[in-house]
Amino acid sequence: MPSRFSDAYAELQAGLASNEFSVDEEWRKLISRARKLVCDDGFNAAEASLVEDLRTTVAKRNGAGEAEAVVLFEGAGEGPNGGVVDGRMARRLGALKTLRHTYFLKRFGAHKIWIVSIPRSFPDWPHNALKGDPGQVTSRLNDRRERFSLEDRRNLSHASQEALKWVHKAMIVAANPQRGGHRSLIAKWFADRNTREADLFAMAGTLNVGLKKIAWTLKSALLIYTDSVSERAIQANAGAEAFVWEDRLDVVYVEDEFFGHENTLKGLTNWARILVHEVSHGEVGTKDHAYEWQGMSPRAITAAKAIENADSWAWFCADCAGALTNGVIQYTLAR
């Protein structure tokens, strides 16, 4: 059954709470730090070095001739003895495997994000995928073919910061709608033929409040990017770029088409557009009344729907930041 990352995160916490991990001093220290990293409201940035130190420990023991599965079994407090892996053991193994593939990325200023890049052979979150047949469990523990490559992770980090830059520019516009240039930007993306001056100022107020929430999430150091691991086997998100899923934590699920080439916008500009779109769902409660490719001119979908529309918010932010050409704007609003 498909499950959210927040559910997997709760299992991660449960796994780390076990007292059955290895008593080896190096592992004992790592597990103690892992418990401080995995907090109730998300990963603790102050303990971010744990994930790199865990990878270093695994790599060091790999270099000494131990397969990754053997190393992780040892850390979890039990050798791969050929028996069926039960739920308790799977939680401990899952905790180690999840953190071994978790990354903390920092760019300029206070911008920090988390990326959980579970290897591609996993058909479900690790606490479920590592139960049962020991051969299959060993194979999955040895898998290092991560869902997001190094380049993907760098691009996500860059896109997240670009999205934050856009939102900051849009906040300036929304906070001062009386300025002529600001007023026209808001009207372009949100006003229809029936919109009055008072309506426009009300829209600006709505935007200003919502944009502050989006900005906070993008720079909170709590935002997590992953894919919907529990839905991989059923191809539920084929063709999807990204989505949010009413998680308890701040999570954006990044799918195969995120880095696709079928959009009007390309590369970094499109990636930032997707992230603003998705975070607006989670923080503002925007809807998908219309996507750019369907036509989202406020005169076509109405002002009432435009101010609720996630793609309208994203394109407005891009426009405020000067990320769109006049030709692209005209093409988008003419549909």
Side-chain angles (χ1 to χ4, degrees):
M1 180 178 177
S3 57
R4 299 172 177 85
F5 177 77
S6 291
D7 301 321
Y9 189 88
E11 294 289 345
L12 173 58
Q13 287 184 295
L16 289 172
S18 171
N19 61 3
E20 298 179 87
F21 285 98
S22 172
V23 296
D24 172 83
E25 183 66 12
E26 185 174 23
W27 279 112
R28 189 186 63 76
K29 289 180 179 178
L30 288 170
I31 298 304
S32 177
R33 291 171 59 200
R35 290 169 180 150
K36 296 176 183 177
L37 169 70
V38 183
C39 298
D40 288 344
D41 60 350
F43 293 119
N44 176 8
E47 299 292 339
S49 61
L50 174 278
V51 292
E52 291 299 336
D53 291 344
L54 175 60
R55 278 189 283 276
T56 298
T57 294
V58 172
K60 179 178 66 176
R61 299 196 180 201
N62 282 162
E66 295 184 58
E68 184 153 322
V70 173
V71 176
L72 294 175
F73 267 113
E74 289 175 351
E78 187 173 336
N81 56 20
V84 172
V85 177
D86 64 18
R88 284 183 4 212
M89 185 64 176
R91 277 199 185 100
R92 301 197 304 278
L93 287 170
L96 295 177
K97 189 64 172 172
T98 297
L99 294 179
R100 182 254 181 273
H101 296 286
T102 295
Y103 296 86
F104 183 60
L105 279 75
K106 297 184 288 186
R107 289 188 64 81
F108 310 110
H111 183 69
K112 305 175 181 72
I113 62 169
W114 296 90
I115 297 177
V116 179
S117 186
I118 303 300
R120 291 182 176 272
S121 66
F122 281 66
D124 202 345
W125 300 108
H127 69 276
N128 278 329
L130 296 174
K131 292 178 186 174
D133 177 69
Q136 189 173 68
V137 169
T138 297
S139 176
R140 288 173 180 164
L141 287 173
N142 281 328
D143 188 5
R144 289 180 283 182
R145 298 168 300 140
E146 293 183 318
R147 172 62 182 80
F148 301 110
S149 67
L150 175 60
E151 182 180 7
D152 290 341
R153 298 196 302 269
R154 287 173 175 167
N155 286 337
L156 276 168
S157 179
H158 195 183
S160 193
Q161 186 175 45
E162 184 75 358
L164 179 59
K165 182 178 76 174
W166 288 8
V167 172
H168 282 158
K169 295 287 187 180
M171 287 167 61
I172 294 171
V173 172
N176 298 281
Q178 66 276 12
R179 291 184 57 178
H182 293 182
R183 184 189 183 286
S184 63
L185 276 167
I186 297 168
K188 185 191 307 182
W189 296 101
F190 299 104
D192 62 20
R193 294 176 181 84
N194 299 316
T195 301
R196 299 168 299 174
E197 193 82 0
D199 299 328
L200 203 67
F201 286 169
M203 290 174 182
T206 298
L207 288 165
N208 197 32
V209 171
L211 290 167
K212 288 177 180 177
K213 293 178 180 178
I214 295 170
W216 187 91
T217 297
L218 287 169
K219 65 182 180 182
S220 68
L222 292 171
L223 184 58
I224 299 163
Y225 297 113
T226 188
D227 71 306
S228 187
V229 176
S230 68
E231 295 184 299
R232 287 176 177 177
I234 57 175
Q235 294 289 299
N237 299 306
E241 295 174 331
F243 63 92
V244 293
W245 195 4
E246 298 180 347
D247 276 82
R248 177 177 62 82
L249 305 175
D250 292 323
V251 183
V252 175
Y253 297 89
V254 175
E255 301 298 330
D256 286 338
E257 288 304 312
F258 184 93
F259 296 113
H261 305 284
E262 302 301 319
N263 290 281
T264 300
L265 302 180
K266 306 298 180 187
L268 178 63
T269 305
N270 192 51
W271 306 333
R273 189 269 309 170
I274 296 170
L275 295 183
V276 175
H277 176 122
E278 296 304 335
V279 176
S280 79
H281 280 318
E283 298 305 318
V284 186
T286 56
K287 300 177 174 64
D288 288 325
H289 290 306
Y291 294 94
E292 173 269 332
W293 57 268
Q294 295 171 309
M296 60 176 195
S297 164
R299 295 193 172 204
I301 67 172
T302 75
K305 287 187 175 180
I307 197 62
E308 295 179 342
N309 192 49
D311 234 15
S312 300
W313 281 64
W315 281 75
F316 167 69
C317 290
D319 198 6
C320 291
L324 306 175
T325 66
N326 288 333
V328 165
I329 293 170
Q330 291 170 8
Y331 174 75
T332 299
L333 293 177
R335 296 195 191 195

